[in-house]
């Protein structure tokens, strides 16, 4: 789920699930409402002091620890909790890896956020104000990549003050990507990064801090110590006015690998399913004004080379026209068709042929 490259699947499909960490947050929230001095309070997640990390495994032994940086959440006085995380804020420490995770794994151009919701009886945690720290087993619903799953999580809830509460994972929790339709996206990551054996399970840990609405901010030592320098919200592409040349090239390279530009069979007519990806492309091109972007069309080897080249040219032009129609200057966009000349896989199986039928984006400096 929140994992990136790599996630580890242990055992068979019948094995019991270990739920995602994020989830826990929500439930922890619910726990504190009844304990506060005012049981009717609503609560809001403090993004600056909350963390969500995940570990992924590639090449069987290489473990990477990364984060989702932009988190938000609420807990109402009646025990309804919701936590939302911005998947465009994936932070691996390297821009190219971030972009791969966003566009190839999470497909944020279609599914920009994930969400956890829960409803619990606040009375079940009536002793929290006295004990200050409790463990709980909580059911929740995770919505990720267009799939809803009912799961459970073990959490530790700690009252930092009467108006601040921490909900943390009791241990790293395993999230299996296959239940969210993400296994094909692991393959895309492997191809893009030229790595093998990305394990399809992520180990997720979190520590979420919630503050009672209307409470005075309290910079408590416990909270301050819990938030590392690289915690808290981060600027995403949506908030940037321009990209560096390297950022532009990273995005064009990865967008070319999504396979999310669709046409009607044997036609150059764009399918409506292409809209999300093309909107993302337009946004990137608009923030790379110094670069000229080539839209290139490619086909498999079925049919004659002449017909394939013609089809690829018409498809590339259709995409270029759509980008220009969205407001990008025509001088910044060109279209080329290469037919079957530049395959990325042998034309020996339906799957490989599908890889060869593609639209790619490349950039060069825009001459004055």
């Amino acid at each position: 789920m929140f994992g990136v490259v790599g996630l580890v699947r242990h055992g068979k499909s019948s094995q019991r699930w270990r739920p995602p960490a994020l989830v826990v947050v929500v439930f922890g929230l619910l726990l504190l409402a009844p304990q506060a001095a005012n049981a009717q309070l609503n609560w809001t997640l403090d993004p600056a002091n909350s963390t969500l990390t995940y570990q992924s495994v590639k090449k069987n032994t290489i473990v990477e620890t990364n984060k989702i940086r932009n988190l938000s959440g609420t807990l109402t006085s009646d025990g309804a909790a919701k936590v939302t995380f911005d998947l465009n804020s994936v932070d691996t420490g390297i821009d190219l890896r971030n972009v791969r995770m966003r566009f190839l794994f999470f497909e944020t151009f279609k599914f920009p956020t994930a969400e956890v919701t829960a409803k619990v009886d606040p009375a079940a945690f009536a002793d929290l104000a006295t004990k200050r720290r409790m463990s709980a087993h909580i059911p929740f619903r995770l919505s990720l990549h267009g799939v809803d799953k009912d799961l459970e999580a073990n959490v530790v809830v700690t009252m930092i003050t009467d108006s601040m509460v921490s909900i943390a994972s009791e241990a790293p929790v395993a999230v299996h990507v296959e239940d969210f339709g993400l296994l094909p996206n692991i393959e895309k990551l492997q191809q893009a990064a030229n790595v093998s054996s990305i394990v399809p399970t992520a180990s997720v840990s979190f520590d979420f801090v919630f503050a009672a609405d209307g409470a005075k901010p309290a910079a408590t030592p416990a909270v301050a110590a819990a938030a590392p320098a690289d915690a808290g919200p981060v600027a995403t592409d949506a908030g940037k006015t321009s990209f560096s040349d390297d950022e532009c090239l990273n995005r064009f390279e990865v967008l070319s690998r999504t396979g999310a530009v669709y046409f009607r069979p044997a036609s150059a007519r764009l399918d409506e399913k292409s809209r999300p990806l093309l909107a993302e492309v337009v946004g990137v091109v608009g923030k790379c004004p110094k670069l000229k972007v080539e839209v290139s069309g490619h086909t498999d080897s079925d049919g004659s080379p002449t017909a394939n080249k013609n089809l690829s040219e018409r498809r590339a032009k259709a995409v270029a026209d759509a980008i220009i129609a969205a407001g990008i200057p025509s001088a910044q966009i060109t279209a080329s068709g290469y037919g079957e000349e530049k395959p990325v896989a042998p034309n020996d199986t339906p799957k490989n042929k599908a890889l060869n039928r593609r639209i790619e984006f490349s950039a060069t400096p825009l001459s004055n």
Side-chain angles (χ1 to χ4, degrees), residues 112-126:
T113 63
E115 185 176 89
V116 166
T117 55
K119 182 72 182 249
V120 300
D121 178 9
F125 305 95

Side-chain angles (χ1 to χ4, degrees), residues 44 46 69 76 150 154-155 188 219 242 244 292 327 330 336 355:
T44 301
D46 178 355
R69 296 285 294 274
T76 63
D150 291 324
N154 294 320
V155 302
K188 291 181 181 180
S242 64
S244 67
K292 187 166 188 172
S330 58
S336 302
L355 292 175

Side-chain angles (χ1 to χ4, degrees), residues 77-127:
S77 58
D78 64 354
K82 177 171 72 174
V83 175
T84 302
F85 37 103
D86 179 2
L87 300 177
N88 281 307
S89 69
V90 169
D91 183 7
T92 70
I94 299 175
D95 182 67
L96 180 57
R97 289 182 185 173
N98 294 348
V99 179
R100 287 172 178 164
M101 285 304 305
R102 290 169 49 204
F103 295 148
L104 300 183
F105 185 70
F106 290 122
E107 296 183 315
T108 56
F109 50 91
K110 293 189 291 185
F111 307 102
T113 63
E115 185 176 89
V116 166
T117 55
K119 182 72 182 249
V120 300
D121 178 9
F125 305 95
D127 292 337

Side-chain angles (χ1 to χ4, degrees), residues 221-299:
V223 175
D230 59 349
V234 65
T236 62
D237 283 6
K240 297 179 180 180
T241 57
S242 64
F243 297 134
S244 67
D245 286 354
D246 284 345
E247 288 175 328
C248 292
L249 296 176
N250 287 345
R251 282 150 185 76
F252 291 133
E253 175 189 334
V254 177
L255 288 169
S256 298
R257 294 177 175 273
T258 59
V261 178
Y262 306 97
F263 298 91
R264 303 295 175 85
S267 166
R269 183 178 177 183
L270 281 163
D271 191 284
E272 284 294 310
K273 294 187 301 181
S274 301
R275 285 185 177 275
L277 191 282
L278 291 180
E280 195 72 49
V281 172
V282 169
V284 173
V285 176
K287 295 178 182 181
C288 301
K290 297 180 181 179
L291 297 179
K292 187 166 188 172
V293 178
E294 180 192 62
V295 181
S296 59
H298 305 266
T299 70

Side-chain angles (χ1 to χ4, degrees), residues 41-57:
L41 289 178
N42 294 323
W43 301 75
T44 301
L45 184 139
D46 178 355
N49 289 304
S50 299
T51 60
L52 172 68
T53 63
Y54 60 84
Q55 288 187 326
S56 60
V57 179

Side-chain angles (χ1 to χ4, degrees), residues 4 34 38 78 97 103 140 149 151 178 235 238 272 295:
V4 229
N38 182 348
D78 64 354
R97 289 182 185 173
F103 295 148
F140 65 89
K149 287 288 182 182
L151 304 172
E178 64 180 323
E272 284 294 310
V295 181

